[in-house]
């Protein structure tokens, strides 16, 4: 494969990389994997964020469950399209100074012989104490095991669809972005991934509903979870319509330990009451 890399500092003060892989061999190259790897120096106190998948190695997870993890000699690479921000972020602290680096990928559809499409992948590799951030053409790795993807809820399955066939003269092009800098406070590396990701991708929702429609529907959902009986009142965890067709399968119980949601629902109810004079 011929490889070209075009580098430029551009929009939002990041380093843009346009990478092209072209098959000049004159024949089909089957089951091919391409990508870029940025090897980082060995550092202490690394925090790694892969949005929605890994945050500081998921320390609160049950060790008996199958969850994304990065061992000392392992790697984790997942589909870029499953990430709310297609990014890998690494933060480290040396001599009481915290820094970060983020690798972003512009999601795009790549070629497959079957015609069903294949997206890129993003992740982290660990080897002999060193960390490398990587962007690949679709190959996956789960906790050191190659060609495995995380289904969710502690379940994995094998996946071989990450390999591409390169016909003669076919060219694959990918757009990556690198952002790095120092942090005003330790632990804020992931914030830079969110901040810069918002600027780079400018996400726009489809906005199928008006604000009034959204408030009306959410108010209905809020009211549907309110119960008051026998001197107790609060929001139940499951409403009747969300109980797989079996009404009152769960005994009456209220959200309590899940404090964030309890306070959010109560605040919304109170706000509606004040606004509507009810």
């Amino acid at each position: 494969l011929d490889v070209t890399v075009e580098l430029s500092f551009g929009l939002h003060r990041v380093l843009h990389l346009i990478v092209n892989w072209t098959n000049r061999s004159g024949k089909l190259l089957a089951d091919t994997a391409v990508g870029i790897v940025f090897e980082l120096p060995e550092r202490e106190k690394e925090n790694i964020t892969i949005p929605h998948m890994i945050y500081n190695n998921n320390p609160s997870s049950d060790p008996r469950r199958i969850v994304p993890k990065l061992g000392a000699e392992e790697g984790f690479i997942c589909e870029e399209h499953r990430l709310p921000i297609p990014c890998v972020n690494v933060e480290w602290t040396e001599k009481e100074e915290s820094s970060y680096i983020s690798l972003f990928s512009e999601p795009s559809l790549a070629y497959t012989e079957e015609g069903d499409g294949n997206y890129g992948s993003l992740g982290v590799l660990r080897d002999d104490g060193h960390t490398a951030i990587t962007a690949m053409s679709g190959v996956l790795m789960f906790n050191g095991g190659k060609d495995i993807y995380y289904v969710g809820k502690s379940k994995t399955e094998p996946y071989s669809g990450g390999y591409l066939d390169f016909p003669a003269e076919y060219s694959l092009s990918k757009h990556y972005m690198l952002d790095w800098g120092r942090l005003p406070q330790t632990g804020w590396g992931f914030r830079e991934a969110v901040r810069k990701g918002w600027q780079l991708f400018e996400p726009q929702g489809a906005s199928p509903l008006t604000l009034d429609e959204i408030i009306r529907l959410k108010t209905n959902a809020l009211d549907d979870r309110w119960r008051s009986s026998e001197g107790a009142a609060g929001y139940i965890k499951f409403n009747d319509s969300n109980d797989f067709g079996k009404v009152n399968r769960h005994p009456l119980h209220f959200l309590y330990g899940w404090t964030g949601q309890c306070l959010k629902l109560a605040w919304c109810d109170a706000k509606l009451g004040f606004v509507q004079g009810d």
Side-chain angles (χ1 to χ4, degrees), residues 50-51 80 83-88 104 122 190 193-195 197-198 201:
I50 303 177
E80 66 181 16
L83 305 178
I85 307 172
C87 168
V88 176
F104 296 90
L122 286 168
F190 76 96
V194 175
R195 191 193 323 273
W198 185 270
F201 300 113

Side-chain angles (χ1 to χ4, degrees), residues 94-112:
E94 289 180 315
K95 298 179 180 178
E96 300 183 354
E97 183 174 85
S98 296
S99 304
Y100 75 95
I101 185 169
S102 298
L103 171 64
F104 296 90
S105 176
E106 180 76 44
S108 60
L109 193 62
Y111 169 87
T112 58

Side-chain angles (χ1 to χ4, degrees), residues 74-89:
E74 296 181 347
F76 179 86
I77 303 173
C78 69
E79 312 94 316
E80 66 181 16
H81 63 271
R82 78 183 296 163
L83 305 178
I85 307 172
C87 168
V88 176
N89 172 272

Side-chain angles (χ1 to χ4, degrees), residues 102-178:
S102 298
L103 171 64
F104 296 90
S105 176
E106 180 76 44
S108 60
L109 193 62
Y111 169 87
T112 58
E113 189 175 19
E114 294 78 12
D116 58 351
N118 177 277
Y119 288 86
S121 47
L122 286 168
V124 173
L125 299 173
R126 283 255 177 91
D127 182 33
D128 194 26
H130 290 83
T131 298
I133 53 179
T134 183
M136 305 298 292
S137 55
V139 288
L140 305 180
M141 177 177 286
F142 184 85
N143 296 3
K146 71 172 186 175
D147 300 334
I148 297 173
Y149 82 105
Y150 185 56
V151 178
K153 297 294 184 182
S154 300
K155 183 180 179 182
T156 60
E157 288 186 3
Y159 177 76
S160 60
Y163 297 89
L164 304 179
D165 288 345
F166 275 65
E169 300 304 317
Y170 172 72
S171 181
L172 173 65
S173 180
K174 288 289 292 181
H175 178 196
Y176 304 112
M177 292 146 280
L178 274 175

Side-chain angles (χ1 to χ4, degrees), residues 10-14 16 84-86 100 104 106 175 177 179 191-204:
L11 193 62
H12 303 301
R13 300 170 63 90
V14 299
H16 294 261
I85 307 172
Y100 75 95
F104 296 90
E106 180 76 44
H175 178 196
M177 292 146 280
D179 177 47
R191 291 161 53 116
E192 296 304 318
V194 175
R195 191 193 323 273
K196 195 65 71 171
W198 185 270
Q199 295 174 349
L200 291 171
F201 300 113
E202 298 180 343
Q204 297 292 326

Side-chain angles (χ1 to χ4, degrees), residues 224-241:
D224 196 33
R225 287 171 61 174
W226 175 263
R227 296 291 186 278
S228 178
S229 66
E230 300 178 4
Y235 303 98
I236 57 173
K237 184 161 58 172
F238 301 100
N239 60 16
D240 296 339
S241 60

